[in-house]
Amino acid sequence: MNPSEVIASVAGDLNSTEQSLDATIAHATTLIQSMIGARTALSLSPVSGAVSQAKAMDAIAALATAREAIVACHEELAKDHRRLGYGVYAAGHLNKPAESTTTPPTTGELVRESRLRAV
């Protein structure tokens, strides 16, 4: 493989890892919402399930730490990339969308349109 292919492979894996962590954090927060909703639907005391909810929140905190580490890894890889003389390889979107953005959200989030309006 030539250097561009190697760099593209690592960049793709890095982007995939970042997206996976974000998706996992989103799913974990959905789990907590579900737990709270279930407790409410069953008319249970807020005390019931408190320990399991705390454990789920601990998991989210650990995922947030992992996300910080992968972002730091990204920054270091960018420095290494420049240090090795490869310059700017790919300056794409800061928020890299998934391949297909035509499907509506499934977890209750709002679809936001970015529009400017005259004041």
Side-chain angles (χ1 to χ4, degrees):
M1 280 201 284
N2 68 38
S4 293
E5 293 171 334
V6 173
I7 292 167
S9 174
V10 172
D13 291 341
L14 176 63
N15 185 30
S16 176
T17 301
E18 290 170 338
Q19 288 182 358
S20 295
L21 277 169
D22 285 344
T24 303
I25 291 169
H27 287 304
T29 57
T30 301
L31 168 65
I32 292 173
Q33 287 178 327
S34 177
M35 293 167 77
I36 292 169
R39 182 182 46 78
T40 303
L42 296 172
S43 299
L44 298 173
S45 163
V47 175
S48 57
V51 174
S52 60
Q53 285 178 7
K55 296 289 184 187
M57 289 179 202
D58 288 345
I60 291 172
L63 288 167
T65 300
R67 188 179 188 291
E68 287 176 13
I70 204 68
V71 167
C73 172
H74 191 149
E75 292 169 357
E76 289 302 317
L77 278 171
K79 288 178 191 175
D80 291 339
H81 185 80
R82 287 188 300 274
R83 223 178 325 215
L84 291 170
Y86 292 110
V88 176
Y89 180 72
H93 299 286
L94 293 178
N95 183 13
K96 299 173 182 141
E99 291 293 322
S100 173
T101 57
T102 58
T103 57
T106 58
T107 57
E109 63 266 13
L110 298 174
V111 176
R112 297 177 192 236
E113 293 183 18
S114 180
R115 294 184 188 172
L116 295 176
R117 66 176 195 198
V119 189

